[in-house]
Amino acid sequence: GGVTPGGGGGGGWGAGRSFSDGVCRNQGTLLKTAGAAASQSTFGNYYSSDGQFHNSGLVDLQIGRLRLSVGGTHGGPFALGTNTVLWFQGGSFTLGGGSRISGAGRVQVDSVTVNLTTPAGTDVPWTRRGGTLVCGARLTVQDVFQWNHGTVTGSGEVLVSGLANWRAGTLSGTGALTVTNLGTLNIA
């Protein structure tokens, strides 16, 4: 089964809501506006592969956290409001054409695999706490790239024009981590 918000309309997503059965495909606008600043909405099921979320529309996260804990394919943009968190928490994710992450929130990537298949950009901070980032194309980070653990690999490049904090992890493959003349690299 599946749920498809969109098709000309918007799909509202409130505080503390979870989608744990089937597949959700956003082709319109998925809007999260309800709940306290610490509220969390989740796509995923800890006991199965159900709850996948695929986005080819717009995800507009205006408050709280959106936790993606099973995986999915994303070709649409994510707009993050002030102090919000887009959390790639479990599974395997593919970021394709059109998957730009912007706004005043941040991205958190836990022990998951994120495959970047086409050039993508973000102007929000990224925190990597493990897993693998496979860059088949360039990922441009215009803010903080906090790398605490995990692997960055592939033939693409992570281009940082802000602050790159590399605490632990492995850089492999033929790609590169490039910090521009506007950026700073801290290795701890």
Side-chain angles (χ1 to χ4, degrees):
V3 174
T4 306
W13 202 256
R17 306 255 179 162
S18 293
F19 178 87
S20 60
D21 295 314
V23 174
C24 182
R25 292 180 181 87
N26 178 44
Q27 299 171 343
T29 298
L30 185 125
L31 180 63
K32 183 178 182 313
T33 59
S39 69
Q40 175 173 283
S41 294
T42 301
F43 285 92
N45 186 327
Y46 289 111
Y47 307 106
S48 72
S49 62
D50 286 343
Q52 282 194 348
F53 177 68
H54 304 281
N55 178 46
S56 60
L58 167 67
V59 172
D60 188 352
L61 180 59
Q62 295 184 5
I63 194 164
R65 293 179 298 221
L66 180 60
R67 183 176 69 164
L68 306 177
S69 61
V70 176
T73 301
H74 306 283
F78 292 86
L80 306 183
T82 302
N83 297 321
T84 61
V85 178
L86 175 60
W87 184 8
F88 295 101
Q89 192 261 336
S92 180
F93 299 89
T94 299
L95 301 178
S99 59
R100 175 153 181 79
I101 304 170
S102 62
R106 67 183 176 90
V107 174
Q108 178 175 318
V109 180
D110 284 355
S111 297
V112 302
T113 298
V114 176
N115 296 291
L116 184 66
T117 60
T118 59
T122 178
D123 60 4
V124 301
W126 274 59
T127 300
R128 290 191 30 79
R129 299 192 317 188
T132 303
L133 175 61
V134 181
C135 290
R138 176 184 281 174
L139 171 64
T140 302
V141 181
Q142 298 172 342
D143 204 303
V144 177
F145 185 70
Q146 181 74 34
W147 185 3
N148 295 332
H149 197 288
T151 301
V152 176
T153 188
S155 59
E157 171 185 37
V158 177
L159 179 72
V160 181
S161 59
L163 177 63
N165 292 317
W166 186 355
R167 304 282 185 242
T170 304
L171 180 63
S172 67
T174 58
L177 170 64
T178 303
V179 180
T180 70
N181 62 342
L182 300 174
T184 301
L185 174 61
N186 292 323
I187 300 175

